[in-house]
Amino acid sequence: MSFFKNLFKKSAPATPARELNHVSKLILGDIIEFSDSFTLPSEVRQQKFEVIGIETLEFEHQHYPRFKLQGEQQTYVWLSLPGHDHNNFQLSLELTREEVTQLFDLELFSDVFEEGFTELPSQLPVSLGDWHAERYYQQDIATVGYHHRTDFRTSVPSQYADDNLGRQFEFYHLHDAKENKLIDIMVHNNGDTDVYLTVQLGNDSITGYWPIA
């Protein structure tokens, strides 16, 4: 993290050694700065984050990168690029079990995993800032995916190749009425469940790039 810490002491970005002008070009060690827009959650607004991990989420018809970002205050968020729209990306905050119980009635939340479920209200107020909406609607249920701890942007992962096996999960996805705030849930084969609050953002949400090399 020495590069990361030293950079925050500088008043302006150094001249980049390589072109970095889009989140799709991020590599390990790069740093980005989010804008001051109020569409951004307060935890990331006007903050710098370093790329400390790059993974791949694979589904039947697409795979895309997911970047783990670490902030100055040891805040961790995930940036992902689903679909083919390079003008937008998603930013996710992983919830603890305690935060899930803060935000949702657990009996209602368990209905997300049942066929025919359509709507989930959140319990307000909660201490999760600008990440959540008041009500969510179900979109995907039990979609099979694979989690790879490898960057596959220059190659193609396959759950059928022995050397590329990822960790299988079932994916559940909900969105608010405007489809700007989402809930993403990954249920792994061993029962581990990861819950994320996700916001849809545009490229103008990032105001600075500092490539590591």
Side-chain angles (χ1 to χ4, degrees), residues 120-167:
L120 177 67
S122 62
Q123 299 178 150
L124 300 175
V126 294
S127 58
L128 293 170
D130 315 305
W131 291 91
H132 67 93
E134 293 185 11
R135 195 168 298 274
Y136 294 91
Y137 305 90
Q138 192 171 57
Q139 179 170 326
D140 293 305
I141 180 169
T143 301
V144 174
Y146 294 85
H147 175 209
H148 302 270
R149 298 189 182 277
T150 305
D151 181 2
F152 279 109
R153 282 178 292 176
T154 59
S155 58
V156 178
S158 173
Q159 65 270 30
Y160 304 107
D162 291 340
D163 57 345
N164 284 341
L165 276 175
R167 186 184 184 193

Side-chain angles (χ1 to χ4, degrees), residues 7-210:
L7 182 60
F8 291 138
K9 298 177 183 179
K10 300 178 182 179
S11 59
T15 302
R18 76 174 205 278
E19 184 179 16
L20 176 59
N21 53 19
H22 192 273
V23 292
S24 62
K25 299 180 180 180
L26 290 170
I27 63 173
L28 289 174
D30 286 345
I31 291 175
I32 61 175
E33 181 177 11
F34 289 99
S35 75
D36 60 357
S37 171
F38 285 99
T39 61
L40 287 163
S42 56
E43 291 87 348
V44 302
R45 198 178 302 146
Q46 291 185 290
Q47 299 295 312
K48 295 183 178 71
F49 285 80
E50 179 182 4
V51 179
I52 63 169
I54 304 175
E55 304 178 346
T56 301
L57 297 182
E58 179 190 11
F59 297 93
E60 183 178 2
H61 299 296
Q62 69 165 324
H63 70 276
Y64 55 83
R66 187 171 79 149
F67 306 90
K68 187 174 185 179
L69 307 181
Q70 179 177 341
E72 298 175 73
Q73 307 301 321
Q74 304 300 304
T75 301
Y76 296 93
V77 294
W78 295 90
L79 187 157
S80 56
L81 296 169
H84 304 286
D85 184 357
H86 285 283
N87 294 316
N88 298 283
F89 62 90
Q90 294 181 352
L91 198 66
S92 301
L93 176 71
E94 186 172 1
L95 301 183
T96 65
R97 179 176 175 80
E98 181 180 358
E99 288 170 333
V100 173
T101 60
Q102 269 192 318
L103 189 56
F104 303 108
D105 178 293
L106 289 186
E107 186 173 344
L108 293 176
F109 187 79
S110 65
D111 290 341
V112 169
F113 308 102
E114 302 296 332
E115 290 285 352
F117 168 81
T118 58
E119 188 175 325
L120 177 67
S122 62
Q123 299 178 150
L124 300 175
V126 294
S127 58
L128 293 170
D130 315 305
W131 291 91
H132 67 93
E134 293 185 11
R135 195 168 298 274
Y136 294 91
Y137 305 90
Q138 192 171 57
Q139 179 170 326
D140 293 305
I141 180 169
T143 301
V144 174
Y146 294 85
H147 175 209
H148 302 270
R149 298 189 182 277
T150 305
D151 181 2
F152 279 109
R153 282 178 292 176
T154 59
S155 58
V156 178
S158 173
Q159 65 270 30
Y160 304 107
D162 291 340
D163 57 345
N164 284 341
L165 276 175
R167 186 184 184 193
Q168 185 175 339
F169 62 89
E170 289 185 344
F171 182 69
Y172 298 80
H173 174 78
L174 303 92
H175 59 74
D176 70 348
K178 295 182 179 180
E179 300 190 21
N180 290 329
K181 295 184 178 180
L182 321 169
I183 302 174
D184 295 318
I185 305 171
M186 298 166 62
V187 181
H188 301 277
N189 284 346
N190 64 356
D192 288 347
T193 301
D194 302 329
V195 180
Y196 302 88
L197 292 183
T198 299
V199 292
Q200 299 268 26
L201 298 172
N203 290 331
D204 57 357
S205 298
I206 297 177
T207 58
Y209 290 92
W210 287 265

